[in-house]
Structures are given as structure tokens and as C-alpha cells.
Amino acid sequence: MKPFTYTRVSSVDEAVSAYARNSESRYVGGGTNLLDLMKMGVERPSHLIDITRVPLNQIEEHEGDLRIGALVSNTDAANHPLIRQRYPVLSEAILAGASQQLRNMATMGGNLLQRTRCYYFYDPSYSECNKRKPGSGCAAKSGINRIHAILGSSEECIATNPSDMCVALAALNASVRVSGSKGERTIPFSEFHRLPGDTPQIDTNLRSGELITAIDLPAMTYANRSHYLKVRDRHSYAFALVSVAVVMDLDDGGIVRHAHIALGGLALKPWRATKAEKILVGEKIEPQRLLAAAEAELQAAKPYPGNAFKVELAKRAIVRAINTVAA
Ligand code: SF4
């Protein structure tokens, strides 16, 4: 591991100022992903800024939204009464991820930043990985690509985003509050993560030194009608091959008023299934329509030999998740 220096800060301003003094810094909260990456030599910061004493660990109502501080643990968010009652899909998604011990340590802000679980990215003995070393190639394209992307990938990188929580946040139209040297701003969740394009080494649209301070969930009266379906190789402690978060509003006649569908395990960012949503809104939930919605969303899929099964799996998962919510 590369040697590093360490500072502990107690406010957002102190954190941002510490970063401004050394742009090779990383903020550390729970450290459940960053420290692994440092041990493997994938992340090599020269300085760590410990933000665990910054008061960002509240969940509170804020102008109609629910604001979740960036340092709230995944466990505390999943078990919070307001989240369980108003946004149960978020609670379900968090509890489907990792292990109890990891959820106790992992923070909400850190979960947004966890990096892909592509095997080649984590192992520097593979020389080809554009995400780890831009311009070096992509070993996954001709290697083992069972867990890789079928939507939104590029010739440079076919990695996926591993987070369950982020799939639910995408379906809930969340936004991310950040603070940096130029002040505060809010990033809509759909614009927070990036697809790989020709810069796969950049995962998010955070600017250098910006610190995530909170996640805002907008008021959504129908968000308690929801479901998170995760399909994986093992029943626990495994990343999603495919996952689906559905939030749906139906009128008394069963017509879809609002449909929010997000997919995990398929792309480098949580994938909002807007094509499927469009086909469902204003219509009844019927088998043929559901199938048409799932097929429309997967039409642009670009599978590789090891992950072609994900196309059919994703369609079936979409249908099953929506049927569960509609029932
Ligand atoms: Fe690296 Fe992306 Fe290719 Fe994996 S898929 S080897 S992360 S470039």
C-alpha cells in the first residue's frame, strides 16, 4: 500500500479546505470500499481526510423532502421509521446488499461512490483495464464477462455499478447535495453517475474536492407501493446479476398513473427504464403490455458471450417486479 498522511476534520468547510490543500486526497467515512482498493493498490491517495466526525448523520424532513445525511449508516437508513413507511423500496434495496457488518459501517454517501466489482479492475496484475489505467484496454471484453454490462457500455469499458441502494434512489427521483470550494449544489440522481464513454476512469459528475453532504428524497405519496427484486447467484452477500426497483401509482381501475422503474446490474449507472415506463403509463397492467415494456427497454442491449443470459433475465425480472407491485 502506498504510504499516506491523515487528517481528521469536524466540519464540511474543514473537509473541503483540507482537500483544496492536496488534490490527491480522498475523503473517508465507512471506508468499506476505499480501504480495500487502497490495499490492492487500485486507489493510491497520498492523503486521507477522515470525515466521520462531521455532523452529517441526521435523517430529517426538509421542505417536504426527506433529507438523509451522507454519514448515516446503511443500517440506520434501512431501519428508519420514515424510510420504511414512505420509501420502503429504499429499505428493501439496502437490506439486499452486502452483509450486516458492512451495512453497519458503510455510509449513504460512500455507497454512492462504491466502484465497480469488475475482477480485472481490482487486480493490478492484469495490465488491461481502462478504468484503472486509461488507454490500457479492457480485459473483460475478451475475458470473463458474466457480471458485466449489457446497456450503456462502450468499447472502452463494460463494467457495472454494484450498488443496490442506488437502484432504489434512481426510481425515487432522489437528488444528491454536495459541497465544494465553489459552494453547495444539488445533482439530480440521474446525472450523478456517468456511463463509461471514452472516459471510463470517471464514475460520477462530482467536481474535484466536492463532498457529498446529503441525499434528498422528494415527497411521493405513492412511493409506499413499491418493490426491489434482486437476482443473484447466492441468496445473500452477492452482487446483483439483475435487479429492479419499481415504484408505481395505479388508479382504482388499475390504470398506471405513474411508473418509476430502475434497473441494476446492467450498466455502469443505475438504469432508469424510461422506455418501459412510457409504455405502461395510462394503461392497465396486462401480460402482453408488460412484455412489450420489458422488450422495449432491452432492445438496445449489447451482450457479450458470458452475459447474454442477462437479456432474458432482465425482461423476466422487470415483469415479475411490476406484477408484484400491481398485486
Ligand atoms: Fe476495466 Fe471496465 Fe474493462 Fe473491467 S470492464 S476491465 S473495469 S475497463
Side-chain angles (χ1 to χ4, degrees), residues 122-139:
Y122 275 75
D123 187 347
S125 68
Y126 287 97
S127 55
E128 287 179 55
C129 176
N130 287 323
K131 186 179 275 297
R132 184 163 31 76
K133 196 170 160 214
S136 61
C138 172

Side-chain angles (χ1 to χ4, degrees), residues 291-306:
L291 201 56
E295 271 171 2
E297 199 58 54
L298 271 299
Q299 205 169 21
K302 187 183 171 206
Y304 281 78

Side-chain angles (χ1 to χ4, degrees), residues 136-203:
S136 61
C138 172
K141 286 200 303 181
S142 56
I144 299 171
N145 41 45
R146 174 175 162 73
I147 64 168
H148 288 75
I150 59 170
L151 291 170
S153 63
S154 71
E155 285 306 307
E156 310 300 318
C157 178
I158 60 170
T160 51
N161 183 305
S163 172
D164 293 292
M165 181 188 93
C166 288
V167 184
L169 292 177
L172 290 168
N173 293 344
S175 52
V176 183
R177 299 273 308 157
V178 303
S179 247
S181 54
K182 293 189 178 147
E184 290 189 333
R185 66 184 181 119
T186 299
I187 308 173
F189 203 74
S190 58
E191 293 166 25
F192 184 81
H193 295 98
R194 295 162 58 106
L195 290 174
D198 55 9
T199 53
Q201 70 277 18
I202 308 171
D203 288 345

Side-chain angles (χ1 to χ4, degrees), residues 17-152:
S17 302
Y19 193 100
R21 290 193 290 275
N22 182 350
S23 63
E24 284 184 24
S25 300
R26 292 283 186 281
Y27 298 121
V28 61
T32 53
N33 190 205
L34 177 64
L35 298 187
D36 281 348
L37 289 164
M38 287 172 65
K39 284 186 249 176
M40 290 165 187
V42 178
E43 291 272 4
R44 296 169 56 77
S46 63
H47 187 63
L48 284 188
I49 303 167
D50 180 342
I51 56 168
T52 53
R53 305 289 167 93
V54 180
L56 294 172
N57 51 5
Q58 299 294 315
I59 298 179
E60 56 199 3
E61 295 187 76
H62 180 85
E63 296 174 2
D65 292 352
L66 192 66
R67 177 160 290 178
I68 308 171
L71 290 174
V72 171
S73 74
N74 284 189
T75 297
D76 286 348
N79 293 324
H80 194 278
L82 287 179
I83 291 178
R84 290 174 69 103
Q85 183 193 336
R86 296 183 194 172
Y87 308 98
V89 70
L90 178 57
S91 184
E92 262 187 284
I94 292 172
L95 293 175
S99 65
Q100 183 65 62
Q101 290 90 340
L102 283 167
R103 293 192 296 268
N104 290 346
M105 283 302 293
T107 64
M108 296 297 281
N111 194 322
L112 299 184
L113 299 178
Q114 62 173 309
R115 306 206 71 187
T116 183
R117 261 55 186 186
C118 172
Y119 332 107
Y120 304 103
F121 175 68
Y122 275 75
D123 187 347
S125 68
Y126 287 97
S127 55
E128 287 179 55
C129 176
N130 287 323
K131 186 179 275 297
R132 184 163 31 76
K133 196 170 160 214
S136 61
C138 172
K141 286 200 303 181
S142 56
I144 299 171
N145 41 45
R146 174 175 162 73
I147 64 168
H148 288 75
I150 59 170
L151 291 170

